[in-house]
Amino acid sequence: YQTAAFGKWHLADENNGWTEHPQRVGFDNYAGILFGEPESYFGYSKVVDGEALPDGHTVYSTTDIVNDAVNWLDHRDEDSPFFLWIAFNAPHTLFHLPPTDLLHSDARKLDPDAINDDNQFEYYKAMIEAMDTEIGRLLANLSDAERQNTYIVFMGDNGSPPQVAQAPFERRHAKGSLYQGGVNVPFMMTGPGIK
């Protein structure tokens, strides 16, 4: 299998290889951010195949991750099977308004400068919508034959952040807790033989 990982990677530190950690655990290629959340989704530091690149990447983080994945898919050996793992930073703090060309809902009308502690949920939903748009672009890059022979797994890694928790969950029973609001995550899978 050809292997690649793109996006959020916060398992590395100075004791286990730091910038080279994704390759040390078995990925042929890696590009992304080596910690949980970027300084900004519109400006961040990035590591590519063990090399820390200069600061100042300004392509929206969710778009940049899919750009890297699409580029890798386009240049891999098409006769070999592949394993591609993507971890988006979004939706994660810092909540913000994504580029409006990734939005198709009324979120396009949100003011990027009006986010505050009382209205973060609308921006959180906009981040999810932008991620959904980019996942669609990634999947559209696969041919019909590839899609019919590829397992696709989508899952979250924790519940919603407390700042945007919605009923029936409370802020203190959201991400970071062992209550259902902290451990209940989305999971979807499609592929050969799965209905």
Side-chain angles (χ1 to χ4, degrees), residues 32-49:
I33 300 170
L34 286 182
F35 38 88
E37 63 187 69
E39 305 92 69
S40 161
Y41 284 82
F42 300 93
Y44 46 90
S45 305
K46 185 175 178 179
V47 172
V48 175
D49 291 334

Side-chain angles (χ1 to χ4, degrees), residues 50-183:
E51 182 181 347
L53 302 182
D55 292 350
H57 293 275
T58 57
V59 174
Y60 181 60
S61 174
T62 302
T63 298
D64 189 51
I65 291 166
V66 172
N67 287 347
D68 287 336
V70 166
N71 183 57
W72 183 81
L73 286 167
D74 287 346
H75 291 93
R76 66 180 177 80
D77 176 5
E78 293 185 15
D79 294 327
S80 297
F82 69 91
F83 175 81
L84 172 60
W85 178 77
I86 296 175
F88 290 102
N89 303 94
H92 198 291
T93 55
L94 310 160
F95 300 125
H96 62 278
L97 182 65
T100 55
D101 64 326
L102 299 178
L103 304 174
H104 308 286
S105 68
D106 287 342
R108 297 175 69 112
K109 298 175 186 172
L110 289 171
D111 181 348
D113 300 319
I115 187 170
N116 59 57
D117 289 343
D118 297 325
N119 71 350
Q120 294 182 46
F121 185 63
E122 294 304 316
Y123 293 84
Y124 177 73
K125 288 193 311 185
M127 294 170 71
I128 292 171
E129 182 179 350
M131 182 179 64
D132 183 60
T133 299
E134 289 295 6
I135 291 170
R137 181 168 67 94
L138 174 69
L139 296 178
N141 189 68
L142 297 173
S143 69
D144 288 342
E146 287 174 313
R147 284 288 301 275
Q148 292 174 9
N149 191 35
T150 300
Y151 290 98
I152 299 168
V153 178
F154 177 88
M155 62 183 289
D157 64 346
N158 49 243
S160 298
Q163 306 94 310
V164 296
Q166 300 291 303
F169 305 116
E170 304 172 18
R171 287 182 175 219
R172 61 190 178 96
H173 293 170
K175 177 180 176 181
S177 80
L178 295 178
Y179 290 96
Q180 280 298 305
V183 299

